[in-house]
Every structure is written in structure tokens, then in C-alpha cells.
Amino acid sequence: QHPSVSAVSILSLPLPELSRKLRDGSLPLDHVFYAYVGKALQIATETNCITEFLQESETQLRRAKLMERQGLLYGVPVSIKDSIDCQGHDSTLGFIKNLNKPAAEDSVVVQVLKRQGAIPFVKTNVPQSLISYDCKNLIFGQTRNPLLYTRTPGGSSGGEGALVGGGGSILGIGTDVGGSLRFPAAFCGICAIKPTGKRLSKRGIMAGVVGQKAVAAAVGPLAKDVESLALCLRALLSEDMFSLDSTVPPLPFNEEVYSSTKPLRIGYYETDLFTMPSPAMRRAVRETKQLLEEAGHTLVPFELTNVDYVIFNYCVRGMFADGGSSFVRKFKGEMEKGGSGLFFWLAQAPHWLKTLLSWISKPFVPRFSSIIRSMKENTVDEVWSLHHEIEDFCHQFIAQWKKLNLDVMLCPMLGPALGIGYPAKLSVAVSYTMLYNALDFPAGVVPVTLVTDEDEEQLKDYKGYYQDWWDRTLAKAFRGSVGMPVAVQCVALPWQEELCLRFMKEVETL
């Protein structure tokens, strides 16, 4: 309707600049809003990433035009993951039984976004149950990667990854219990941060497995660049967040830490010795390490040990400590078991069968045997001692970190994006991300390189550490990815989101 307005120039503005122009009035609200609605529609048509348009966003837009231009995100259209409550809309988690059960009120995060002037305008797709890093369910279907339609956008915040990665949203909010923010960001070539579990409120956010305390879930933002993530956290870590949810520690955003320029002591590793990194992943860490050293930072090798134990005993066993029975109940009456088929099947198998299978498969597929063993029903006593063991592990990890006097850590991130359907067969490949949910450390991803022909050539020698069916499948899943983005993971100690972002910004700049 406004020939003078160029949607292209609006869509090309980075978030800090866009929000500045909205606040000083040099860009009209509706021009920005409809530029993004138009682009979102296009990306949704291409990738199937949106589950619904939030009709009330137009009312909010009209109201915002009459109000004072306040709030750090004044007039910014924001996309919201399906599992995050928006009043009057379903949070389905991809389950048919959750249709037509609209949320009674906005989740705390959505309330704070609105108080900061943001306009939530769409909800985005997720995999059924959220316990998957693909993005498909029977209600809304399969979401595709905006960079290559035969690839998954990652999950479980996959709709967010596709929409933000495709440019149809400038800021998205998702959740992460094993990599669910970091997979979509890495696979779609954008940035994301998973904060410490309790840094942002999770009130009004639906979880895949409710009540488990072994693996910390978190809510966090996805955006094209690190500065946008920082702006989002500045806005969310406000008085409103702390007054709406008193269980969130009242820690405002620490500008001093974020804007510091003093050289960092950075730990790093190229592999977790559990999931063999693809050639591009290894190169991404090496090249980033070299650039950081050239910029005057100190890099210190970090020895990771027993990641297999962490994955099986803390993550799988912790998430399914009831033998998976509550997880199975979620699927009652559903027509499909989706991408979590293996866990579903194991959770239903009788104890004697699991014991037998674990014993038979141990010599051939040791990891499969370990997963079966981890899916047993635990007594209360066993769950308590598991929680105690996880606490101990966390303190040991921190002690090793402090002994090396580290500020932050540089780690690999699974990539490039796997083909659609592969994540369901490769649950073991979450080892790089899930470690930091078990530890509850803040972790972000930054895209640093693209897969080259040489990476593709080297994939021919990819064997994996176990040389089992999973390793062979992962090699296949990585193939044919020349030109796809690969990210690294940036990690800090608990409650140090600002330092994590500062490190991410450094990596992004270099």
C-alpha cells in the first residue's frame, strides 16, 4: 500500500538499528510489521514453519501507535515457539490431543516481551513431544531448512530456526533441553543462546518431559546476530521478569561484562570422543581457535572425559527415570509416535526384554546396549543418588575449568544440517549440546564457516568412534552439504550469560 516503503530495506536492518528507528519514529510501526508478515508468509510457504498467525498482534499494533514509544523492543515483531503459551492459542507440542485447548494467559516471557513493546505475531512448528531435533508432527507436517529443503531445520525449536534463518522473523523465542535452540540455529546459519535454566522464567512454557530435574531446560532467543540476542536479554532481564516470576533471580543484564574488551582465557576441544565430528566441525573449531589466538586471546586445551557416561547415565536415565512411563502416557491416543520412536518403544518394553536386549547387543552395538540399560524404572532412592551424582559431576567439571583458570570454552557444534528424517535415527548425536544441559551452563552457537568440497571429500574416511550402525548413518546424514553453514558452540559458567554473549560476539566479529 505504500510504494515509497521498501520492504527489502526494512528486512535488511539489524535488530538494534530497527528498534532504534521504531523508537525514534523514523520508521512507522505498520511498515515494519507488514514487511515481516509478508516475508514470514513467503518463508512459511517455502518451509512450512508457522503453525498460526496471532490475530491479536494487529490490535496490539494499533494500540502501540497511540502509546508512547517505550520499551527496548518497541514495535518489534517477534515469533514464538509452539510450546510457549500465548493467551487464546494452543500449545500443541505436536500432539493432536492438545488442539483446541487455548492457553488461559500468556507465559511470563511473552508478557515481558509485550511490556517491552514487542509484538508477538506468529507461533512456529515443533516436533511431536519436543524430544527430537527434527521438526515434524501430524498436525502441521514437516518443516524444511530454508537453506536447503531436503535438510531438517533442526529442533525442537525448528520452526523458529527456519523462520529466523529465512529472514521471516528478526527475533524468535524457543526452548532447549538437549540442544533445541542450538540445533536450529546451527542448522539454519543463525545465532542462539541457551541461558542457565533459571535465568529466564519458564512459567507458562510446556515441556516434553515434565518434572524431571536431571537435565535442565531453558528458554532463550534466536536471531541473525549476537547483538540482537544481547538486546533481547537486556529487554527480558527487566524488573517485570522478576516481579512476574519471583523464582527467577533478580540479575539484570550486566553491561560491563558484555562490553569488556580484556583478552580471554579460552578452553577448547575438537571432539567429545563420543560422536566423531564431521571434517567441517573440526575445521570450524580449529579456524576459530587460530583467529582468537591471533586476536590476543589465550587458548588452552581442555580434556573431556566420560561423555558416554554423562549421556547415558545422566541425560537418558535422568530424562526417563520413571522408565519412560510418563513419556509414553503423552502419546496415548496419538496416531503416530514420530521422531522419538526408539525411546517410545524402549519405554514400553518389559524389563526382562530390555535386560536381554542390552546383554545381546553389547558386543555389537555398545551404545544401543547402554541406552536400553538407561531406560529402566528407578526407585526414589536411585533418583536421589542420580541427582547427587550429577551435582558432583558439575562441581568436578567446574574445578577442572577453574584449575585451568578459564573464562569461557570453545566447543564443536553438530553440523552441517542433517537430511530430513535422520535425527530420528541418530539420537546419540546430541552429545555435544546435551552435556551443557546436564551441567546447566549457558551455551550459544555462532555460525563460522560453510562446508567446502574438501570437507566433503574427507567425509569419505569418516568412521566414527564406535564404527557401529549409528556412526555409518551419521556419515550418510552429513553427505552432500557443500555450502551449508557450520557453527561453533560458546560456553560459560552458570549465570554468566553476558560473558557467553561477549565471547560469541568476539567469535562472530573475527
Side-chain angles (χ1 to χ4, degrees):
Q1 289 173 334
H2 297 270
S4 61
V5 177
S6 155
V8 177
S9 63
I10 290 175
L11 296 171
S12 67
L13 290 174
L15 178 60
E17 201 179 326
L18 180 81
S19 68
R20 231 184 357 263
K21 292 193 162 183
L22 283 163
R23 278 208 309 276
D24 69 18
S26 60
L27 260 183
L29 286 186
D30 34 8
H31 293 187
V32 173
F33 183 78
Y34 288 108
Y36 272 101
V37 168
K39 185 66 177 175
L41 187 62
Q42 179 209 324
I43 299 299
T45 312
E46 293 169 10
T47 64
N48 186 33
C49 57
I50 292 177
T51 59
E52 62 179 321
F53 174 62
L54 307 179
Q55 209 70 54
E56 68 275 17
S57 57
E58 300 194 79
T59 316
Q60 219 191 315
L61 177 71
R62 283 194 293 277
R63 235 185 261 135
K65 289 200 306 208
L66 307 171
M67 279 156 48
E68 278 176 65
R69 293 195 280 266
Q70 273 176 334
L72 286 179
L73 297 171
Y74 174 77
V76 175
V78 179
S79 48
I80 308 286
K81 182 179 181 172
D82 164 278
S83 57
I84 300 173
D85 281 353
C86 293
Q87 187 178 2
H89 299 273
D90 297 335
S91 299
T92 68
L93 281 70
F95 287 123
I96 294 167
K97 63 155 88 64
N98 293 342
L99 282 170
N100 305 322
K101 292 188 181 164
E105 61 173 355
D106 285 334
S107 54
V108 168
V109 167
V110 170
Q111 287 181 54
V112 178
L113 284 169
K114 286 180 176 175
R115 290 187 189 188
Q116 287 284 359
I119 304 179
F121 75 118
V122 288
K123 287 195 88 173
T124 56
N125 205 19
V126 294
Q128 185 189 33
S129 86
L130 309 186
I131 308 293
S132 162
Y133 61 104
D134 202 345
C135 191
K136 170 185 187 242
N137 60 67
L138 272 188
I139 307 170
F140 303 109
Q142 173 77 51
T143 300
R144 292 177 291 280
N145 190 309
L147 309 175
L148 188 59
Y149 299 156
T150 55
R151 301 282 152 145
T152 175
S156 60
S157 315
E160 282 304 324
L163 187 61
V164 177
S169 168
I170 195 162
L171 180 63
I173 306 293
T175 60
D176 186 312
V177 74
S180 290
L181 278 160
R182 290 160 288 164
F183 279 115
F187 285 6
C188 299
I190 55 174
C191 300
I193 183 168
K194 171 203 85 68
T196 313
K198 284 206 160 45
R199 185 83 199 253
L200 296 174
S201 172
K202 287 179 281 196
R203 291 222 47 193
I205 293 176
M206 304 296 118
V209 178
V210 187
Q212 65 83 20
K213 294 271 187 279
V215 185
V219 56
L222 307 94
K224 274 271 195 316
D225 54 65
V226 180
E227 201 56 69
S228 304
L229 300 178
L231 178 60
C232 179
L233 284 189
R234 264 186 212 109
L236 288 175
L237 295 170
S238 61
E239 224 17 83
D240 288 326
M241 173 73 71
F242 314 132
S243 66
L244 286 166
D245 183 352
S246 301
T247 66
V248 172
L251 293 171
F253 191 86
N254 188 329
E255 288 302 337
E256 201 184 325
V257 171
Y258 178 60
S259 55
S260 159
T261 52
K262 75 171 186 32
L264 297 166
R265 251 183 94 82
I266 305 165
Y268 75 95
Y269 53 90
E270 287 181 15
T271 172
D272 64 4
L273 298 170
F274 177 76
T275 306
M276 184 181 273
S278 65
M281 281 166 73
R282 209 180 273 266
R283 182 173 61 77
V285 172
R286 276 184 192 159
E287 287 178 3
T288 307
K289 167 190 177 272
Q290 192 182 339
L291 289 169
L292 287 161
E293 279 177 330
E294 286 165 8
H297 302 286
T298 309
L299 276 98
V300 185
F302 190 91
E303 285 289 314
L304 267 195
T305 49
N306 297 346
V307 169
D308 52 347
Y309 189 84
V310 173
I311 294 301
F312 299 129
N313 281 331
Y314 301 164
C315 300
V316 179
R317 189 176 151 211
M319 294 258 302
F320 302 106
D322 59 354
S325 57
S326 58
F327 183 65
V328 168
R329 264 202 309 282
K330 283 221 146 111
F331 287 88
K332 202 170 179 224
E334 295 293 313
M335 285 145 64
E336 189 186 77
K337 306 302 174 264
S340 25
L342 172 69
F343 291 118
F344 184 81
W345 185 84
L346 283 174
Q348 283 190 305
H351 184 67
W352 65 267
L353 182 61
K354 286 193 241 195
T355 312
L356 181 68
L357 273 174
S358 170
W359 182 73
I360 294 172
S361 59
K362 195 170 183 187
F364 313 106
V365 256
R367 289 190 286 184
F368 181 58
S369 169
S370 302
I371 282 191
I372 301 172
R373 271 208 310 281
S374 320
M375 292 280 295
K376 75 179 183 68
E377 198 170 331
N378 292 266
T379 61
V380 175
D381 187 34
E382 286 169 331
V383 173
W384 285 348
S385 67
L386 173 70
H387 288 174
H388 179 63
E389 205 184 316
I390 293 173
E391 256 168 54
D392 269 356
F393 164 67
C394 184
H395 288 302
Q396 283 163 11
F397 199 96
I398 292 172
Q400 185 183 350
W401 181 298
K402 294 261 162 94
K403 196 175 165 192
L404 296 171
N405 195 16
L406 303 178
D407 296 309
V408 287
M409 184 110 80
L410 170 69
C411 330
M413 173 65 210
L414 193 78
L418 310 185
I420 282 172
Y422 274 108
K425 305 172 188 159
L426 288 163
S427 50
V428 288
V430 301
S431 60
Y432 286 101
T433 46
M434 206 158 186
L435 171 65
Y436 295 108
N437 293 88
L439 287 164
D440 197 13
F441 286 14
V445 295
V446 181
V448 293
T449 187
L450 303 174
V451 179
T452 62
D453 291 316
E454 197 181 331
D455 295 329
E456 193 69 31
E457 186 56 37
Q458 287 175 9
L459 249 186
K460 290 179 181 157
D461 306 326
Y462 185 94
K463 292 280 184 290
Y465 295 118
Y466 293 80
Q467 305 192 8
D468 57 6
W469 181 80
W470 269 317
D471 281 337
R472 290 192 292 279
T473 308
L474 188 54
K476 263 188 234 152
F478 284 140
R479 264 179 226 141
S481 304
V482 175
M484 289 298 277
V486 179
V488 291
Q489 216 176 169
C490 301
V491 178
L493 290 174
W495 311 108
Q496 307 262 341
E497 282 67 26
E498 297 85 346
L499 185 58
C500 186
L501 285 165
R502 191 235 135 156
F503 177 36
M504 288 167 70
K505 180 95 188 115
E506 197 77 11
V507 168
E508 176 186 65
T509 309
L510 295 173

